[in-house]
Amino acid sequence: MEHPNSKCRIVQAEYLSRLPEEERENKARDIRIGNASYIYHQQAVPIQENRLIMYYKEWLEGLPPNISRHMRMLGFEACKTMIPFTRYVNERNDIGMRDWMQEHLSPGDFNYWQELSKKAGSPTF
């Protein structure tokens, strides 16, 4: 998947072109997965309906107390683009990351992403 920003696409293409041939496909796959993840999380940013309620009444309440205190201290403006919050917003709006990634990645890239997630202990839902 290509990055939505044309400057980023150019930088990524230049980076890949400078790599030895045997490294290109693995790095290209990593970039495609990273781009898909970036786009997934960016979807949550323009969702305005109930985001403040989600933040104060739901998301903060569902975090462990020490993390919740820290996020509350940072405030909504600082947290509204953080990956844990954008993931929460997307999931609450029925945009599950696992299904979204499966729809937007090739089967090979998706399987690789799932394996990485399992190794890292990250939920793919």
Side-chain angles (χ1 to χ4, degrees), residues 106-119:
S106 70
D109 286 356
F110 176 72
N111 289 335
Y112 182 79
W113 173 76
Q114 279 199 298
E115 288 303 314
L116 281 180
S117 297
K118 287 177 190 172
K119 288 178 186 174

Side-chain angles (χ1 to χ4, degrees), residues 1 12-13 15-35 105-110 112-113 116:
M1 176 167 256
Q12 290 173 348
Y15 168 73
L16 290 172
S17 72
R18 290 190 303 270
L19 289 175
E21 186 68 35
E22 63 274 8
E23 293 179 29
R24 271 191 209 144
E25 183 47 39
N26 285 340
K27 294 296 183 186
R29 179 187 58 221
D30 292 344
I31 288 171
R32 290 188 303 269
I33 291 169
N35 289 344
L105 292 172
S106 70
D109 286 356
F110 176 72
Y112 182 79
W113 173 76
L116 281 180

Side-chain angles (χ1 to χ4, degrees), residues 36-37 39-47 54 85-101 103-104 124-125:
S37 179
I39 292 166
Y40 171 80
H41 286 285
Q42 288 301 302
Q43 291 181 123
V45 174
I47 297 173
M54 284 183 208
F85 184 64
T86 57
R87 174 89 183 253
Y88 179 80
V89 170
N90 279 337
E91 295 285 342
R92 282 281 278 116
N93 285 284
D94 294 325
I95 306 169
M97 188 169 194
R98 183 192 175 285
D99 291 343
W100 194 91
M101 294 292 273
E103 183 179 329
H104 292 87
T124 57
F125 303 118

